[in-house]
């Protein structure tokens, strides 16, 4: 059945000519601009695109969560085929009428569970109250239903989770609580807005399996919003690609991935790091198209395909790998870690003696050579971030040695440690929280130069700060702007510029691209590689994404439960993993495999989507 041959029986949601505009000082922002699509019963439609493309505003418009005081009147129609009320136009509902639909027949999983869950109520109480608001049950029945939901979403120790506050459980567990909340009234439509962003690949794989199973068991439709094409390939039947508020391409998953027509879609597919081939530089969206000041898109080369872009960029890797091996033989290591341990005390007796420890870093040893990039990979809680911070003495190690350029810095005093900060820098995961919101970005870059007496005058420091901003592809006239005026990718570039202000010899990148769109992520990864060659620094790159680590690293170290379980060249670790844990990480990475997708859809009686 084609999507045009829709009947009242098979369609659930029909969005027609939707427009959601916001007034601003710069004019009208067309967040959602003439968007139309249809969602069938039991189907998953994926919406992909960069931040600012209009994905989340489309979802919020459907949910009736757009603040009408701060937006222009919504235009278009959103027809919802309610099982209890028949076909209704959601755009004509009053806020009170919408409240009856929201959370009942239409539910939503928001992107960041920590900000979506109330920190002053237990996880169980929040779901119980949702059930009581929409279902005619007693408080005891709501309590029992909540525990059943926790079991259904495979939360460990449901009774303990019920009585736990959001900050007491992991990110993956918080996301399962949000799924349980969305499922508590057996909705016909679930909207999932980036539900797996920044989760470990193994946790992400389990969340996707869970959502697929819940969809199939309850014959539920799903609108799945993400910037990760690998994730959408795993779960969606039909894909919508959005850019600057408009749908630029849509169709069955196999058609879009095997033969994309729009240059923006081609760019998104190409810029995702690949595991099967080694690239010198990741393609980016601008390789496929240009956009003029009026928003008109021009394709750079109509004959270029995603495969062509990748093949042109494949690195003949053996010579480089051999060169890196010889470098390690002929030179002394810049950093030596010997039997490093970092323990955190969980419990003490009444005399203050530690009784129980968390062994965050447990007897770790390795070497890093000048100019090398070491990829440090593993799940959340494996100890990789604590290891990076222990090396920089931001967290004090419990035992072991940290030897940097022949000097044991494990126990050096504060004055010497401060001098060493010029040579050892860190780029944190969240650029917004690591920048002072009251300080302009120019001042943020100049400040470490002042503290460490780099250059002779502020005039010279300003000049260098502007040079660094331009080097990370920002503009010098951004100097006097504040962090909130920039996008996530731009803020990460600012943090990179600040780290380079002292010309360091060694940089730790801690999950520095984990929450970025794939297109922005590709730009930042390419930039880091360029800067490493230009500024000649050594790098430890921490990430839970093995595909990103494989692209940027010379060698990979895999950590689990505070210990190193495997290390070696990136190609060797990926192609010939020695530990079961590494094999699990690799198998959990979402991959775009056309044959596997066709087989999966056919076996689930959705083979017509490929016809």
């Amino acid at each position: 059945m084609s999507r045009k041959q829709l009947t009242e029986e098979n369609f659930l949601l029909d969005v027609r000519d939707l427009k959601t505009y916001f007034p601003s000082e710069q004019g009208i922002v067309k967040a959602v601009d003439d968007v139309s699509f249809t969602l069938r019963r039991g189907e998953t439609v994926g919406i992909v695109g960069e931040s600012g493309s209009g994905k989340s505003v489309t979802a919020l418009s459907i949910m009736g969560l757009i603040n009408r005081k701060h937006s222009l009147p919504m235009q278009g129609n959103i027809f919802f085929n309610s099982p209890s009320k028949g076909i209704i136009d959601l755009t004509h509902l009053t806020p009170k009428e919408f409240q009856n639909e929201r959370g009942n027949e239409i539910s939503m999983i928001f992107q960041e569970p920590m900000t979506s869950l109330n920190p002053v109520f237990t996880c169980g109480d929040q779901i119980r109250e949702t059930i009581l608001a929409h279902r005619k049950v007693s408080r005891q029945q709501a309590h029992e239903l909540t525990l059943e939901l926790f079991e259904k979403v495979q939360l460990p120790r449901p009774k303990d989770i019920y009585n736990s506050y959001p900050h007491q459980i992991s990110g993956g567990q918080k996301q399962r609580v949000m799924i349980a909340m969305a499922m508590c009234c057996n909705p016909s439509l679930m909207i999932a807005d980036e539900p797996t962003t920044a989760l470990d690949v193994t946790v992400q794989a389990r969340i996707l399996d869970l959502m697929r199973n819940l969809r199939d068991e309850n014959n539920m439709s799903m609108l799945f919003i993400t910037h990760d094409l690998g994730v959408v390939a795993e779960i969606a039947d039909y894909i919508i690609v959005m850019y600057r508020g408009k749908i630029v391409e849509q169709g069955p998953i196999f058609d879009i991935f095997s033969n994309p027509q729009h240059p923006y879609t081609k760019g998104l597919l190409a810029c995702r790091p690949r595991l099967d081939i080694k690239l010198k530089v990741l393609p980016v969206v601008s390789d496929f198209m240009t956009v003029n000041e009026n928003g008109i898109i021009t394709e750079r080369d109509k004959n270029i395909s995603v495969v062509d872009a990748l093949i042109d960029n494949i690195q003949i890797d053996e010579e480089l790998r051999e060169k890196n091996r010889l470098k390690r033989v002929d030179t002394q290591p810049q950093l030596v870690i010997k039997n490093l341990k970092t323990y955190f005390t969980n419990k003490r007796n009444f005399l203050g003696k530690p009784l129980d420890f968390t062994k965050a870093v447990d007897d770790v040893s390795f070497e890093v050579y000048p100019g090398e990039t070491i990829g440090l990979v593993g799940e959340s809680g494996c100890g990789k971030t604590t290891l990076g911070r222990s090396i920089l003495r931001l967290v004090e190690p419990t035992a072991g040695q940290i030897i940097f350029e022949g000097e044991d810095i494990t126990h050096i005093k504060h004055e010497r440690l401060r001098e060493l900060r010029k040579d050892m820098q860190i780029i944190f995961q969240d650029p917004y929280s690591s920048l002072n919101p009251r300080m302009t970005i120019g001042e943020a870059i100049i400040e470490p130069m002042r503290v460490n007496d780099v250059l002779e005058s502020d005039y010279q420091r300003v000049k260098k700060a502007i040079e660094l901003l331009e080097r990370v592809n920002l503009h010098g006239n951004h100097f006097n702007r504040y962090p909130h005026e920039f996008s996530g990718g731009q803020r990460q570039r600012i943090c990179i510029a600040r780290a380079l202000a002292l010309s360091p010899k060694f940089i730790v990148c801690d999950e520095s691209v984990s929450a970025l769109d794939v297109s922005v992520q590709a730009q930042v990864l390419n930039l880091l590689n360029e800067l490493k060659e230009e500024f000649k620094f050594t790098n430890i790159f921490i990430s839970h994404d093995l595909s990103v680590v494989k692209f940027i690293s010379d060698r990979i170290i895999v950590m689990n439960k505070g210990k190193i379980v495997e290390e070696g060249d990136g190609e060797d670790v990926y192609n010939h993993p020695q530990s079961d844990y590494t094999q699990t990480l690799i198998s959990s990475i979402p991959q775009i495999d056309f044959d596997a997708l066709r087989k999966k859809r056919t076996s689930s009686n959705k083979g017509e989507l490929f016809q």
Side-chain angles (χ1 to χ4, degrees):
M1 178 184 294
S2 75
R3 299 183 69 84
K4 294 180 180 179
Q5 296 172 331
L6 291 166
T7 65
E8 184 176 328
E9 289 74 27
N10 66 46
F11 101 87
L12 182 69
L13 185 73
D14 188 16
V15 178
R16 298 183 186 176
D17 308 317
L18 181 65
K19 296 178 181 179
T20 305
Y21 295 171
F22 298 93
S24 72
E25 293 179 358
Q26 288 74 37
I28 301 300
V29 176
K30 298 180 179 180
V32 177
D33 192 15
D34 202 21
V35 164
S36 299
F37 64 91
T38 303
L39 177 62
R40 303 190 297 185
R41 292 189 185 278
E43 180 184 49
T44 298
V45 169
I47 302 182
V48 300
E50 298 170 289
S51 294
S53 64
K55 309 185 300 294
S56 293
V57 178
T58 299
L60 293 173
S61 300
I62 295 169
M63 288 292 292
L65 294 175
I66 298 295
N67 190 323
R68 297 182 182 183
K69 293 181 180 178
H70 299 143
S71 67
L72 299 179
M74 192 182 301
Q75 300 178 47
N77 303 95
I78 305 171
F79 295 108
F80 177 65
N81 194 355
S82 168
S84 59
K85 303 181 183 68
I87 298 176
I88 56 177
D89 189 345
L90 300 180
T91 58
H92 293 159
L93 297 184
T94 64
K96 187 173 182 180
E97 289 172 332
F98 224 129
Q99 190 171 346
N100 293 329
E101 299 297 326
R102 190 167 47 234
N104 188 15
E105 293 193 359
I106 306 174
S107 63
M108 186 166 180
I109 305 169
F110 293 94
Q111 179 172 357
E112 178 46 67
M114 192 62 207
T115 58
S116 304
L117 293 169
N118 193 321
V120 301
F121 290 100
T122 66
C123 297
D125 283 343
Q126 295 185 59
I127 294 181
R128 185 185 64 179
E129 292 306 309
T130 304
I131 293 172
L132 290 171
H134 293 285
R135 299 173 67 171
K136 295 179 180 180
V137 296
S138 67
R139 297 186 74 83
Q140 180 59 33
Q141 288 173 317
H143 178 91
E144 293 170 358
L145 285 169
T146 301
L147 291 176
E148 288 177 15
L149 282 165
F150 281 175
E151 290 178 0
K152 197 170 186 178
V153 299
Q154 301 169 23
L155 276 166
R157 309 179 315 281
K159 291 182 180 179
D160 292 339
I161 298 289
Y162 187 103
N163 295 312
S164 298
Y165 291 90
H167 72 274
Q168 295 176 306
I169 60 178
S170 70
Q173 289 173 340
K174 282 193 281 281
Q175 199 61 278
R176 289 171 188 268
V177 170
M178 288 295 298
I179 293 172
M181 185 180 292
M183 291 295 301
C184 68
C185 295
N186 297 318
S188 302
L189 170 62
M190 179 189 287
I191 300 174
D193 187 6
E194 301 272 13
T196 60
T197 295
L199 293 180
D200 302 330
V201 286
T202 50
V203 176
Q204 175 179 269
R206 291 194 289 268
I207 293 292
L208 291 176
D209 284 339
L210 171 64
M211 296 182 72
R212 267 194 300 265
N213 293 336
L214 292 172
R215 175 197 64 189
D216 296 340
E217 287 174 12
N218 297 277
N219 193 30
M220 179 179 67
S221 299
M222 190 154 39
L223 195 63
F224 194 97
I225 297 169
T226 183
H227 63 255
D228 191 327
L229 290 163
V231 169
V232 84
E234 288 280 320
I235 199 167
D237 308 308
Y238 191 88
I239 296 181
I240 294 167
V241 183
M242 291 190 69
Y243 180 71
R244 293 192 175 183
K246 292 183 177 290
I247 293 177
V248 296
E249 189 165 3
Q250 61 178 305
I253 183 172
F254 186 79
D255 292 350
I256 297 295
F257 281 8
S258 61
N259 188 28
Q261 299 299 307
H262 196 276
Y264 180 67
T265 311
K266 293 178 182 179
L268 286 182
L269 286 167
C271 64
R272 186 170 178 267
R274 295 280 294 264
L275 283 166
D276 54 342
I277 54 178
K278 178 74 172 179
L279 302 178
K280 293 180 290 186
V281 180
L282 286 172
V284 294
V285 171
S286 59
D287 293 334
F288 292 82
M289 69 181 203
T290 57
V291 185
N292 67 15
E293 57 186 13
N294 296 318
I296 298 173
I297 297 172
T298 304
E299 193 166 2
R300 283 193 179 275
D301 185 349
K302 293 184 179 180
N303 297 316
I304 191 171
S305 69
V306 175
V307 174
D308 293 332
L310 293 172
I311 294 300
D312 288 344
N313 207 7
I314 292 176
Q315 180 168 339
I316 306 303
D317 195 44
E318 288 303 319
E319 291 184 9
L320 181 63
R321 292 172 68 191
E322 184 60 29
K323 182 180 177 181
N324 286 334
R325 289 193 189 102
L326 291 174
K327 184 195 300 183
R328 293 197 291 269
V329 170
D330 296 339
T331 59
Q332 293 295 316
Q334 186 177 35
L335 177 72
V336 179
I337 306 300
K338 292 184 178 180
N339 308 112
L340 192 66
K341 299 178 182 179
T342 304
Y343 295 173
F344 298 108
T345 302
N346 296 328
K347 187 177 180 182
R348 298 176 184 270
N349 64 14
F350 70 96
L351 294 175
K353 182 179 179 181
L355 298 177
D356 184 48
F357 299 94
T358 294
K359 298 181 178 180
V361 178
D362 192 13
D363 199 21
V364 165
S365 300
F366 63 95
E367 298 175 345
V368 187
Y369 289 81
E372 190 175 35
T373 296
I374 293 288
L376 198 56
V377 67
E379 298 175 284
S380 293
C382 72
K384 55 187 188 298
T385 292
T386 303
L387 174 58
R389 297 187 180 197
S390 297
I391 291 170
L392 297 176
R393 294 276 309 278
L394 297 175
V395 173
E396 290 300 332
T398 305
Q401 287 182 288
I402 307 164
I403 301 171
F404 180 70
E405 294 192 333
E407 179 185 4
D408 190 339
I409 66 169
T410 319
H411 303 292
I412 59 174
K413 300 301 181 183
H414 177 74
E415 289 185 6
R416 174 64 186 124
L417 187 60
R418 182 174 170 178
E419 292 176 10
L420 201 64
R421 294 284 182 235
K422 289 189 289 187
D423 294 330
M424 304 178 78
Q425 287 287 302
I426 185 169
I427 302 169
F428 292 100
Q429 177 175 358
D430 183 358
Y432 192 70
S433 62
S434 60
L435 290 169
N436 188 332
R438 298 181 179 181
M439 186 180 288
T440 66
I441 65 163
E443 284 295 318
I445 296 172
I446 286 175
E447 183 184 38
M449 290 192 273
R450 283 198 190 117
V451 169
N452 291 279
D453 295 324
V454 174
L455 301 178
E456 296 178 358
S457 66
D458 273 357
Y459 173 80
Q460 292 175 316
R461 293 174 189 129
V462 169
K463 186 177 178 181
K464 182 171 182 179
I466 291 173
E467 289 174 358
L468 286 169
L469 284 172
E470 292 176 346
R471 184 60 195 85
V472 297
N473 301 325
L474 294 173
H475 297 292
N477 57 15
H478 289 159
F479 185 93
N480 290 316
R481 294 188 184 179
Y482 290 87
H484 72 271
E485 299 180 73
F486 296 89
S487 68
Q490 289 174 323
R491 283 195 288 264
Q492 198 59 278
R493 293 169 185 270
I494 293 163
C495 290
I496 292 171
R498 182 178 62 178
L500 292 173
L502 302 178
S503 301
K505 300 176 182 177
F506 175 80
I507 298 178
V508 173
C509 297
D510 185 10
E511 298 275 14
S512 53
V513 298
S514 63
L516 300 179
D517 299 332
V518 285
S519 54
V520 179
Q521 175 182 274
Q523 296 168 17
V524 173
L525 291 173
N526 288 339
L527 176 64
L528 283 170
N529 272 342
E530 291 173 15
L531 294 173
K532 190 181 81 166
E533 291 298 318
E534 181 178 336
F535 289 87
K536 306 299 181 185
F537 59 81
T538 306
N539 185 18
I540 289 183
F541 191 92
I542 299 170
S543 178
H544 61 258
D545 190 334
L546 190 56
S547 58
V548 168
V549 168
K550 180 175 177 289
F551 165 74
I552 201 167
S553 304
D554 301 308
R555 286 190 294 138
I556 292 177
I557 293 174
V558 183
M559 287 189 70
N560 185 28
K561 296 180 179 178
K563 293 182 176 291
I564 293 176
V565 296
E566 187 162 353
E567 63 177 301
D569 288 334
E571 295 294 317
D572 294 338
V573 169
Y574 173 69
N575 293 316
H576 308 288
Q578 300 301 305
S579 74
D580 293 340
Y581 179 72
T582 308
Q583 292 174 19
T584 301
L585 284 180
I586 293 170
S587 64
S588 299
I589 300 170
Q591 298 189 46
I592 301 174
D593 186 324
F594 299 146
D595 293 333
L597 289 175
R598 186 189 294 274
K599 184 177 179 180
K600 183 183 293 185
R601 296 302 188 277
T602 303
S603 64
S604 62
N605 297 321
K606 291 183 180 177
E608 75 275 2
L609 294 171
F610 295 114
Q611 304 305 317

